[in-house]
Amino acid sequence: VGIKVTKVGSVPVKDENTHPFSYNMNVAEDLENNRLFFLDQKEAIIYAYSPLNAESGNVEKIWELGIDSAPDGLDLSYEFPFSAGTWRVHQVIPSKEEDEIIVVFGSLTLPTGWTKPSASLPAPGAYPGYVSVGKDFVEDYYRIGNLPADVEIYGGWVRSYSMYDVFYKFNLKNNVLSYPRPFFALENQMIPGHQGGGTATLKDGTILYSVGDCLLFGHDGHYAPQDDLESCGKILRIDPTELDSYEVVAKGVRNSQHMKIHIEDGGESLSKKKGKRGGKKKSGKADWGNLVFADIGGVTAEEVNAVSVADLLDTEHIENFGWGRNTRDGKAREGTFYISTGIGGKLGDQPPYQGDAPVPEPGYIQPWIQFGRSENDFFYGIASFCLSETSLDELKIIWTEFNTGLILGSFDDYNLEDYTGPANGYKIKLYDEDMMYLENGLNDLVDKELGGGASRGDPRMFNYPDGTAGVFIERTGVFYRLEEISL
């Protein structure tokens, strides 16, 4: 099989943000309301797109910092030299309330009247240690401040900051945002690293949100992702109807930027269809579907994970996806592998592989999909995935990553009951709308738009409201439809 890529529309992109690594954009689904939101996270602009109303793929700007005021108390005016870590608008999340959406801002300050965040970084000074090949000592991994000179690329000139993901409910009427109300604030570290941002809205209106491990690249996650009392390295369930209300529902998650609730044919979740792992009690939510999420790896394993929402919400036992160092056995995990401590601030080979974990490994949920770098493919961060019974026939899932422009896929469903290891994945040949082969995958489309041999575009997959598969290229602002074809 192959995949046909058809251009649908585009989002405005500033010329200076089409250079390599100068952009930070994303796409958010609001399928129940037949719309998508395209986010210029760096510039703090939100666009709405409704296929039912739009002509020729047009989008409509609904919020822009500078034209619209930041909510009271927030400081979004900072300049951070790492574009991919600049999240003035971090995420847009569907709400279960009529004419309402949720916007997550990345701010240096809390909303007016707030004196502390809802969920904090680890206590100051709790995690001192060394970073960089020069073994520079830092007093706090989560509040590094000026990066030591030996930190690769960013050392000696980039400063990290404590910042806040601040969640606001907005009224949305006729594509106009109004009446912002904050209800949750998460403390994180603005640093070239892992700020998460994957999100999904559950049937009851609560939100699943991936925090990221809050660390500089190169580490093994340290202990916080395995500590049930910390928010870093977790998936939180946040209640937008109450202030500061959340619970930890999963741990050991490194840097998930894309999540999706998937209801299988017949409305069955993995829990209802295949039974509970480890004899866990039922939570009464077997028809709430399955959470599928991508988790960006270090250098060993990029992952797609799957778990039933019923299992996730039964917090008598918190689901564990492995990232971080566990205090019970002293091991750190990535995919189905053990990894060593790593060197914070060193790119390309940290934290290194240390050995194979058992498959399955009791107490851990291992990946549906995992893949790593090879001599021929320098995969660099799983960007996103797509599940589409409309666009895909033989393929069960497709996914992509930031660097190569390739689309990969698998013909295998996730098996929770008889897990024997990650499913097989394959590179899928891509063709444009004229059926011309795209030798360099989606990167050929970047060159087509920008010229000059442009390549990496940082693609983000999504679903259109009709269920078809799509992909959005951050660097160009162009979005496409994807369709499985027979070769």
Side-chain angles (χ1 to χ4, degrees):
V1 302
I3 289 180
K4 182 179 178 181
V5 185
T6 304
K7 185 174 179 178
V8 175
S10 63
V11 174
V13 177
K14 294 182 177 180
D15 287 343
E16 61 265 30
N17 291 342
T18 61
H19 301 297
F21 312 111
S22 64
Y23 44 83
N24 196 23
M25 304 184 76
N26 209 341
V27 57
E29 302 171 359
D30 186 5
L31 304 187
E32 289 190 9
N33 291 298
N34 293 304
R35 62 193 175 196
L36 303 168
F37 297 102
F38 293 97
L39 320 178
D40 191 325
Q41 297 168 304
K42 175 183 172 182
E43 303 293 341
I45 306 173
I46 304 173
Y47 300 92
Y49 171 71
S50 174
L52 298 180
N53 301 321
E55 296 181 3
S56 302
N58 291 336
V59 299
E60 182 176 352
K61 185 191 300 179
I62 64 172
W63 198 90
E64 180 177 4
L65 182 65
I67 297 174
D68 299 286
S69 298
D72 289 346
L74 298 195
D75 181 359
L76 310 182
S77 63
Y78 52 86
E79 293 296 330
F80 190 56
F82 179 55
S83 293
T86 305
W87 317 88
R88 292 184 177 92
V89 173
H90 200 165
Q91 190 58 272
V92 170
I93 307 171
S95 170
K96 288 298 181 182
E97 299 299 322
E98 187 175 359
D99 298 326
E100 181 180 276
I101 64 169
I102 294 165
V103 180
V104 183
F105 294 98
S107 171
L108 294 180
T109 52
L110 289 166
T112 299
W114 287 52
T115 59
K116 62 180 182 179
S118 314
S120 301
L121 288 168
Y127 291 93
Y130 295 89
V131 298
S132 77
V133 292
K135 295 294 184 181
D136 296 286
F137 180 78
V138 295
E139 295 182 357
D140 191 337
Y141 280 134
Y142 297 93
R143 298 167 182 85
I144 291 179
N146 293 319
L147 298 188
D150 285 332
V151 169
E152 294 187 356
I153 300 179
Y154 307 102
W157 65 284
V158 172
R159 175 179 176 80
S160 73
Y161 297 90
S162 290
M163 53 87 68
Y164 304 95
D165 286 335
V166 188
F167 292 63
Y168 279 82
K169 293 186 282 190
F170 276 85
N171 291 351
L172 176 59
K173 195 81 170 180
N174 298 320
N175 276 344
V176 175
L177 290 178
S178 62
Y179 190 36
R181 292 94 69 197
F183 63 90
F184 191 79
L186 168 72
E187 188 180 20
N188 209 320
Q189 181 174 206
M190 186 188 299
I191 197 169
H194 317 134
Q195 289 88 18
T199 185
T201 302
L202 299 180
K203 281 189 173 183
D204 64 353
T206 57
I207 298 163
L208 299 179
Y209 191 81
S210 172
V211 178
D213 72 4
C214 316
L215 290 170
L216 181 67
F217 58 85
H219 291 288
D220 64 354
H222 298 299
Y223 293 100
Q226 291 293 313
D227 185 342
D228 296 352
L229 300 180
E230 301 287 2
S231 60
C232 293
K234 305 299 192 304
I235 296 174
L236 308 182
R237 182 189 185 190
I238 301 168
D239 186 351
T241 66
E242 299 182 16
L243 293 179
D244 300 321
S245 177
Y246 79 99
E247 62 177 341
V248 173
V249 296
K251 60 185 176 182
V253 179
R254 183 178 185 269
N255 189 21
S256 176
Q257 297 183 10
H258 186 207
M259 294 180 169
K260 188 173 185 64
I261 301 297
H262 180 232
I263 305 293
E264 295 183 319
D265 286 340
E268 294 185 334
S269 71
L270 293 169
S271 174
K272 181 177 179 182
K273 185 176 179 181
K274 296 170 181 171
K276 309 283 277 190
R277 177 181 293 178
K280 286 177 60 178
K281 67 180 183 180
K282 301 274 185 181
S283 69
K285 296 179 174 62
D287 62 343
W288 284 30
N290 311 311
L291 176 69
V292 182
F293 67 93
D295 198 9
I296 297 173
V299 297
T300 302
E302 308 292 331
E303 302 176 25
V304 179
N305 292 286
V307 62
S308 77
V309 172
D311 285 359
L312 205 64
L313 300 188
D314 178 5
T315 55
E316 181 179 339
H317 168 75
I318 296 175
E319 305 299 319
N320 193 345
F321 293 90
W323 180 253
R325 195 160 294 277
N326 192 291
T327 56
R328 293 186 177 182
D329 61 10
K331 296 182 184 298
R333 295 162 174 84
E334 185 175 337
T336 60
F337 307 102
Y338 298 129
I339 55 174
S340 72
T341 303
I343 301 173
K346 189 173 188 300
L347 278 172
D349 59 2
Q350 300 293 317
Y353 163 87
Q354 195 172 51
D356 291 357
V359 178
E361 185 174 17
Y364 295 90
I365 296 181
Q366 293 176 317
W368 172 10
I369 305 293
Q370 77 176 7
F371 64 102
R373 298 169 187 175
S374 70
E375 294 180 358
N376 299 318
D377 300 301
F378 191 71
F379 296 127
Y380 200 90
I382 181 168
S384 51
F385 62 91
C386 196
L387 306 161
S388 175
E389 296 169 359
T390 306
S391 294
L392 304 179
D393 182 17
E394 294 186 50
L395 290 164
K396 303 299 183 185
I397 181 173
I398 54 175
W399 64 92
T400 186
E401 53 79 53
F402 290 121
N403 188 48
T404 65
L406 296 177
I407 288 181
L408 302 96
S410 180
F411 301 96
D412 300 326
D413 276 319
Y414 185 77
N415 189 328
L416 183 64
E417 184 178 26
D418 300 313
Y419 183 81
T420 57
N424 292 324
Y426 303 89
K427 300 176 190 176
I428 310 299
K429 290 184 177 181
L430 303 188
Y431 298 82
D432 68 12
E433 52 204 84
D434 298 319
M435 287 305 296
M436 298 296 292
Y437 176 54
L438 300 174
E439 182 178 359
N440 300 301
L442 299 172
N443 287 352
D444 280 347
L445 300 177
V446 179
D447 186 34
K448 184 176 181 180
E449 294 290 331
L450 301 179
S455 56
R456 172 173 166 166
D458 293 56
R460 302 274 188 175
M461 285 184 174
F462 62 92
N463 287 91
Y464 288 94
D466 63 2
T468 54
V471 65
F472 173 58
I473 308 295
E474 289 189 52
R475 186 173 174 182
T476 63
V478 179
F479 51 100
Y480 304 83
R481 199 178 304 274
L482 305 175
E483 179 187 3
E484 181 183 320
I485 56 174
S486 298
L487 299 180

